[in-house]
Amino acid sequence: MIVLENPLLEDAIVDEDDGENSVEEMEIVGALKSGKISEQGIKTISHVNNIPKLKERLEAIQKKLPWIETMDVTVDLKVPTEEMKLVINDNFKQEMLFYKQSQIGAQQSIARLKSLGITTQRPEDFFAEMVKSDEHMKRIKEKLISKQLTMERTEKVTKMRKMKKLGKKVQQEVLKKRAEDKKQMLDNVKKIRKGKADQEETDNFEINTEPETSSGKKKEINRKRKAKDSKYGFGGKKKIAKKNTQESYKDVSSFSSRIHSKPKRSAKNDKRKGGKPQRPGKIKRANMKSKSKSK
């Protein structure tokens, strides 16, 4: 197997494998073709596993801190090999395994914290100072309230527009229905006038003008109503009702000399009551006025 030489690695162990080209060889061939590397920089691969130096480096970078600073917990579930083979190919079982491992680690950590005398739950009377000031929170609250009011106003306007559109639509439908009903009624009236209407159409226009009682019988007209009807008439033409005819002109049976030959009573003629004299007319008053001025 071939790879680029790494000058940082020491004590390289050469390991040459026979067989088909590996992935590393294919990558190097591709790099050579693209011109990224030259053939002079290619040497045999060297695998390094210098355990003493790795441990030395680990001790150099490792910090020995108390457990409370790191709180690292290692949990070994000791899953059998056969079960692990099933877990590898099943995502749900992997998630359950992680969940159990986390749960056991949390229980061990809580128990260890309690042994160190460190509380793990917040007390009921715990008071924590707010990160943001009351003034800042007040501004945020006002902004949220204004935003909510704007949204409500927008929803209300949108609802009113929809209702307005719906109201116009309903109004148009009602007007259209009225026009259709009116047209149908006029057509029925024309048919009735021409005598072409059916019995059902004629029944729809029958109106009972006479009042009926609760028992269904017609209400009788009283005597006073009859007398007024006979005196003043009931319906019909009244404009030329009192015009004389040839017979009424010749009929003088209703004339009485005792009633009709007496002069009309007035304040001037009625001396019994001591009435005031009648006021002179306009011309007479003007003449009297001119005479008084001439004197």
Side-chain angles (χ1 to χ4, degrees):
M1 194 160 53
I2 301 169
V3 75
L4 291 172
E5 182 185 2
N6 192 345
L8 299 175
L9 297 175
E10 297 178 358
D11 301 333
I13 300 170
V14 179
D15 185 11
E16 294 181 359
D17 297 332
D18 296 331
E20 297 180 357
N21 293 336
S22 62
V23 178
E24 288 84 355
E25 289 176 354
M26 293 172 68
E27 289 179 356
I28 292 167
V29 171
L32 284 169
K33 287 181 179 180
S34 62
K36 291 182 180 178
I37 59 173
S38 62
E39 293 182 0
Q40 296 176 358
I42 299 174
K43 287 188 179 181
T44 54
I45 282 185
S46 55
H47 294 284
V48 178
N49 189 14
N50 197 343
I51 294 170
K53 284 195 175 183
L54 289 172
K55 287 183 178 181
E56 185 182 347
R57 189 60 186 161
L58 179 62
E59 289 176 1
I61 64 173
Q62 193 176 14
K63 291 182 180 180
K64 294 181 180 180
L65 298 172
W67 180 82
I68 193 65
E69 295 293 334
T70 58
M71 285 197 291
D72 54 341
V73 180
T74 305
V75 178
D76 187 9
L77 292 177
K78 297 179 180 179
V79 182
T81 310
E82 294 178 359
E83 190 176 346
M84 186 60 74
K85 288 180 182 178
L86 298 173
V87 169
I88 289 169
N89 299 322
D90 194 342
N91 291 332
F92 179 73
K93 289 183 178 180
Q94 286 179 15
E95 292 293 334
M96 288 302 298
L97 194 66
F98 297 152
Y99 172 75
K100 287 179 182 178
Q101 194 173 10
S102 304
Q103 190 177 23
I104 293 166
Q107 290 173 356
Q108 290 178 4
S109 301
I110 290 168
R112 197 165 179 180
L113 286 169
K114 285 182 179 179
S115 65
L116 293 171
I118 299 169
T119 55
T120 56
Q121 291 182 348
R122 184 182 294 176
E124 294 180 359
D125 57 347
F126 181 78
F127 177 76
E129 189 177 353
M130 297 292 290
V131 177
K132 296 181 181 179
S133 61
D134 294 339
E135 196 173 327
H136 189 101
M137 293 303 296
K138 188 178 178 182
R139 288 203 302 271
I140 292 170
K141 188 178 179 182
E142 288 174 358
K143 191 173 181 180
L144 289 171
I145 290 168
S146 65
K147 194 174 181 181
Q148 187 178 1
L149 290 171
T150 307
M151 287 175 67
E152 287 177 0
R153 201 180 297 113
T154 308
E155 287 177 2
K156 191 176 179 181
V157 170
T158 309
K159 193 175 180 181
M160 285 176 68
R161 283 177 184 170
K162 286 182 180 178
M163 291 295 290
K164 196 173 180 181
K165 286 181 181 178
L166 185 65
K168 284 183 178 179
K169 193 175 179 181
V170 171
Q171 189 178 8
Q172 287 175 0
E173 288 177 358
V174 169
L175 292 173
K176 190 177 179 182
K177 191 177 179 183
R178 283 181 186 173
E180 289 176 357
D181 292 344
K182 188 177 179 181
K183 188 179 178 183
Q184 189 177 0
M185 187 183 72
L186 292 172
D187 292 342
N188 292 338
V189 169
K190 285 179 183 178
K191 285 180 182 178
I192 290 167
R193 282 177 181 175
K194 291 178 181 180
K196 296 178 181 180
D198 299 334
Q199 186 65 29
E200 293 181 0
E201 292 177 353
T202 53
D203 291 342
N204 292 333
F205 286 92
E206 286 182 1
I207 301 168
N208 188 10
T209 55
E210 295 180 0
E212 293 184 359
T213 57
S214 59
S215 60
K217 295 179 181 179
K218 293 182 180 179
K219 193 176 179 181
E220 294 182 358
I221 301 172
N222 56 11
R223 293 177 185 177
K224 194 173 181 181
R225 181 75 266 162
K226 282 182 180 179
K228 284 188 177 182
D229 288 346
S230 62
K231 186 177 180 181
Y232 301 108
F234 182 75
K237 198 173 181 182
K238 298 183 180 66
K239 195 170 183 181
I240 320 174
K242 295 185 179 181
K243 189 177 180 181
N244 275 332
T245 59
Q246 192 174 5
E247 288 79 13
S248 66
Y249 175 73
K250 291 177 181 180
D251 185 18
V252 289
S253 58
S254 61
F255 178 78
S256 175
S257 60
R258 186 174 61 81
I259 297 168
H260 298 97
S261 61
K262 288 183 179 180
K264 291 181 180 180
R265 282 186 177 183
S266 62
K268 188 177 180 180
N269 298 327
D270 196 0
K271 295 179 180 178
R272 293 177 299 173
K273 293 184 179 180
K276 294 181 181 180
Q278 193 175 1
R279 185 187 180 193
K282 188 176 181 181
I283 297 170
K284 196 171 184 179
R285 289 198 310 271
N287 293 334
M288 288 169 67
K289 196 174 182 181
S290 61
K291 283 179 183 180
S292 62
K293 281 183 180 179
S294 62
K295 289 179 182 181

